[in-house]
Amino acid sequence: SLPRPYRFRPAADLAAEIEWAKNRRISPGDYENALGAHEPPLPPDLMTRVFHAYERGKSARGLIDFEDVLELCVRMFRTDADARDRFMNRYAAFTVDEYQDVNLLQQELLEEWLGGRDDLCVVGDDFQSIYAFTGASSRHLLATPGARPGTTVIRLERNYRSSPQVLDFANRLVDALGGARKVLRATRPEGPRPLVQAVAAAEEEPRFVTAQIAELHRAGIALEDMAVLYRVNFRSEDYEEALAAAGIAYQVRDGAFLQRPAARRLLPRLRRGRGTDVAAAVRRLAKGEGFVTPPPDDLGEAELTRQSDLARLVRLAEEFDDGIRTGTDFAADLEARFGSGDGGRGVNLLTYHRAKGLEFEAVFLPRLVEGELPFRRARSEEAVAEERRLLYVGLTRAKVRLILTWPATSRPSRFLAELGVAGGHPPAAEAPSGAVEALKRWRAQRARRDGVPAYVILHDTTVAELARRRPQSEVQLAAVPGIGPAKIERYGPEIVALLASAD
């Protein structure tokens, strides 16, 4: 029933907006006046219309949603003394976990449960408050000591998950995170330094990550103990395709490319396609689903993912179209390229939000660029602060191996500077200058001989790491980040010999 430009917006974006309002106890009638700096997924008048229609639809069907359960409980305790007394006689003390994620509606219900009592234990970490889009806020956690006299604060500062190197790296964000001061200390043994590296271009990044995954797997890390995190769902398809091409099993925690709405809508029709003009057919189907290019800047994450998936289907069809094969063949090709990620085994592909509470031996954080992390819709200071906390959550999912990358052709995320990554490169330990210079001279000569840019031979970060580690064999060379099997085969003997003779 919405005007055509908004007709294809996913229900998930609209439902999330209603959830945002109801968790703040905002009614449809108050919605427009309560928006402030918040940006809804539709123009405010249209979103108000959707909100009213949603409430009317529930009422007509005799239904309530989860936020209604909480709201009705609050009202019950405030209007029904018998219900309140029976509850308070039964429950005397409360513990609330993940208290940084409590919203106003939940907090008001908690206050009704307490009824003025103070037998309350709350546990939380304001550094991991990442659900503002639902109305959650860490202010309830941070305000507890001041709001409840006699509160005892116990700081849990021993970290049992991450190596000292991973934790020290993540702790560089602490000053910018603000909130409650805490100093996390690692209890695990020493591990390798995080690898922080720019790659040549966006299309190279999935291949670089895939090569690193293969290398770590050969070194003994199980595929299931590695994870690639991304800010928005549509990034999964880059890694689905690259991992499938390399024969590496993977699992998508938030819905794989072919399981998301765009592909689910188009695939059944493609399977019936007998025509050979595949590109035109896919573009026509995509436009019928509301595909626009370029997508507007004001899209919510669900619709941005859907538009990106439609764009990818169109591009893949253009690459596939040879005037001979049919739409049926294209559908089969898609299933062969992207259909191996539903077995529940292999490398984990998931969003930062989905990764919260999980841990992995090795964690990859690609696409650390402006517009992605922080996300392009994060325009206010508060929104950027939440994006920073998302990165902190991602960093602290890693036990031992942490790899951060971004395309050199894009603008690096501002958070890299906060991590001390100056000029797009990590702060490296001092490497012997003679070895660095020797490696750079050899790299320049080899690049001229092979007719490729110098960074294709060895990135500056890899040069510094080689000079610092001084590997004495090809086996030791394989442990250096940025050196994979192909480079060992092509350059290994020369690098080892050069390092052995360098000052």
Side-chain angles (χ1 to χ4, degrees):
S1 65
L2 293 172
R4 186 168 182 79
Y6 307 104
R7 193 168 298 167
F8 296 95
R9 296 289 167 96
D13 278 350
L14 308 184
E17 182 67 9
I18 293 172
E19 182 182 4
W20 173 88
K22 297 181 75 167
N23 281 334
R24 288 169 169 77
R25 305 194 75 198
I26 298 170
S27 68
D30 297 331
Y31 173 75
E32 283 194 66
N33 292 331
L35 282 173
H38 176 73
E39 296 184 19
L42 298 174
D45 59 330
L46 285 181
M47 191 62 229
T48 299
R49 199 169 100 194
V50 170
F51 197 173
H52 276 294
Y54 173 74
E55 293 298 318
R56 287 195 301 269
K58 280 190 310 167
S59 179
R61 294 168 177 79
L63 301 173
I64 60 174
D65 61 24
F66 180 72
E67 286 71 40
D68 292 332
V69 173
L70 306 188
E71 179 66 39
L72 291 170
C73 280
V74 170
R75 295 180 190 176
M76 177 182 68
F77 287 127
R78 291 179 178 177
T79 58
D80 187 332
D82 180 57
R84 183 178 64 250
D85 291 344
R86 286 169 60 191
F87 182 89
M88 293 184 70
N89 288 334
R90 179 172 295 183
Y91 300 104
F94 300 87
T95 296
V96 183
D97 197 11
E98 302 286 2
Y99 195 49
Q100 78 279 351
D101 293 328
V102 164
N103 57 53
L104 176 64
L105 177 56
Q106 294 167 337
Q107 179 65 27
E108 296 210 1
L109 179 58
L110 175 62
E111 297 294 348
E112 294 301 322
W113 287 349
L114 287 164
R117 298 173 294 178
D118 63 359
D119 286 325
L120 173 67
C121 171
V122 299
V123 186
D125 178 3
D126 58 298
F127 288 180
Q128 299 190 55
S129 178
I130 58 173
Y131 294 108
F133 63 89
T134 68
S137 170
S138 62
R139 68 176 180 270
H140 306 295
L141 170 68
L142 296 174
T144 297
R148 301 184 185 279
T151 295
T152 299
V153 178
I154 302 170
R155 298 187 186 280
L156 307 176
E157 296 181 310
R158 280 185 290 181
N159 181 291
Y160 296 92
R161 174 186 296 139
S162 303
S163 71
Q165 285 73 18
V166 169
L167 195 58
D168 288 347
F169 191 74
N171 280 344
R172 296 177 186 180
L173 282 180
V174 165
D175 287 342
L177 289 168
R181 185 71 185 179
K182 41 197 167 289
V183 181
L184 297 184
R185 296 182 295 275
T187 60
R188 289 180 64 109
E190 298 284 322
R193 290 189 308 129
L195 171 62
V196 187
Q197 183 161 329
V199 295
E203 59 270 17
E204 292 295 323
E205 195 171 27
R207 291 194 284 270
F208 175 83
V209 169
T210 299
Q212 292 289 314
I213 288 170
E215 192 169 313
L216 291 176
H217 186 48
R218 285 191 296 272
I221 299 179
L223 294 176
E224 289 78 14
D225 215 359
M226 291 188 264
V228 180
L229 309 189
Y230 34 80
R231 177 62 180 84
V232 282
N233 272 321
F234 68 80
R235 284 290 167 218
S236 78
E237 57 213 53
D238 294 337
Y239 298 93
E240 291 180 61
E241 187 172 17
L243 290 167
I248 297 174
Y250 64 88
Q251 50 186 311
V252 186
R253 297 282 189 112
D254 290 295
F257 176 44
L258 297 188
Q259 297 167 357
R260 294 199 292 262
R264 282 209 318 269
R265 293 275 296 176
L266 264 63
L267 271 176
R269 285 173 275 181
L270 287 172
R271 291 190 187 106
R272 298 192 295 270
R274 297 292 180 263
T276 57
D277 195 351
V278 176
V282 171
R283 181 170 287 278
R284 184 172 61 254
L285 290 172
K287 284 185 175 179
E289 292 295 319
F291 173 51
V292 291
T293 182
D297 289 335
D298 62 344
L299 296 182
E301 290 184 33
E303 175 62 1
L304 180 60
T305 294
R306 196 182 75 90
Q307 287 289 338
S308 297
D309 286 352
L310 288 170
R312 185 157 189 123
L313 287 165
V314 169
R315 180 177 63 77
L316 290 171
E318 289 170 349
E319 294 171 358
F320 179 86
D321 197 339
D322 58 6
I324 300 173
R325 293 175 293 180
T326 66
T328 303
D329 297 325
F330 179 53
D333 182 68
L334 289 174
E335 286 160 346
R337 293 171 71 176
F338 296 97
S340 60
D342 56 358
R345 299 292 300 274
V347 178
N348 297 272
L349 305 180
L350 65 168
T351 63
Y352 284 84
H353 285 99
R354 181 67 177 79
K356 186 171 179 290
L358 304 179
E359 58 184 39
F360 306 94
E361 195 74 13
V363 170
F364 293 82
L365 306 180
R367 296 288 296 189
L368 292 177
V369 298
E370 289 292 306
E372 194 112 358
L373 194 70
F375 189 53
R376 67 188 190 187
R377 292 194 72 192
R379 300 186 181 100
S380 68
E381 187 175 328
E382 183 180 351
V384 171
E386 174 139 335
E387 297 291 301
R388 183 183 292 108
R389 293 193 294 271
L390 263 182
L391 176 58
Y392 179 81
V393 167
L395 294 168
T396 53
R397 299 312 91 196
K399 295 180 182 179
V400 178
R401 297 278 187 171
L402 179 62
I403 300 93
L404 288 72
T405 62
W406 68 98
T409 51
S410 300
R411 184 182 171 198
S413 168
R414 69 193 74 177
F415 301 145
L416 287 169
E418 295 175 10
L419 287 166
V421 180
H425 298 291
E430 284 297 318
S433 58
V436 169
E437 291 308 313
L439 282 166
K440 286 186 175 179
R441 283 195 301 272
W442 168 82
R443 181 181 65 175
Q445 293 166 359
R446 188 65 200 244
R448 283 195 296 271
R449 191 190 323 163
D450 293 354
V452 296
Y455 64 76
V456 172
I457 308 294
L458 291 176
H459 194 277
D460 281 350
T461 345
T462 310
V463 168
E465 195 66 15
L466 285 167
R468 189 178 71 84
R469 296 193 187 198
R470 294 291 190 106
Q472 299 174 18
S473 68
E474 292 183 22
V475 173
Q476 293 179 3
L477 192 61
V480 177
I483 300 288
K487 289 188 178 180
I488 291 174
E489 182 180 352
R490 193 171 301 149
Y491 314 126
E494 294 178 52
I495 293 174
V496 171
L498 184 148
L499 289 172
S501 62
D503 294 334

